[in-house]
Amino acid sequence: MKQKWHKKIYELMIEQGMVYDQHPETGILTPTMFDIKSNLDVPEVKTEFSYLYNYGMNLCFAGVLSVDVVKDIVKSRLIERTGLTPEAFDEWLGF
């Protein structure tokens, strides 16, 4: 049961980072108009993806989520947004 909650929290964390922009002063979230696929060369984009990817890997290492669960989430919620293959995604992030 706990794994289900951890999975949903990780998915929500990714969705918040991908779908919303946070105002730096107020913290208010607004829907983003940012085109990820066209901006993979923007350092902040890579930083956000790297953070979310590494967070998932840390959940695996801590035994919170299984490798298969994180792998599915990363493929569907991170990699698909870039338009890259899983191999190209890893290379883009420097792995």
Side-chain angles (χ1 to χ4, degrees):
M1 185 67 162
K2 282 186 179 182
Q3 188 173 34
K4 181 180 177 181
W5 284 106
H6 292 295
K7 178 181 181 277
K8 292 296 181 190
I9 291 169
Y10 182 46
E11 290 172 333
L12 179 62
M13 187 177 163
I14 291 172
E15 291 309 301
Q16 179 182 336
M18 298 290 114
V19 180
Y20 295 97
D21 292 324
Q22 186 172 17
H23 190 278
E25 294 174 11
T26 65
I28 293 174
L29 297 174
T30 54
T32 189
M33 302 305 282
F34 195 78
D35 180 10
I36 293 169
K37 289 179 183 177
S38 297
N39 290 287
L40 294 179
D41 57 337
V42 175
E44 292 83 4
V45 172
K46 187 183 258 186
T47 299
E48 180 75 11
F49 273 85
S50 182
Y51 174 77
L52 293 168
Y53 179 86
N54 285 317
Y55 192 91
M57 293 301 104
N58 287 330
L59 292 173
C60 290
F61 297 141
V64 175
L65 292 176
S66 72
V67 171
D68 289 336
V69 168
V70 171
K71 190 176 186 179
D72 288 343
I73 293 170
V74 167
K75 281 183 179 178
S76 65
R77 299 192 182 254
L78 290 177
I79 296 174
E80 283 186 14
R81 283 190 163 103
T82 66
L84 301 171
T85 65
E87 296 79 16
F89 181 82
D90 283 348
E91 186 177 318
W92 175 63
L93 288 182
F95 298 117

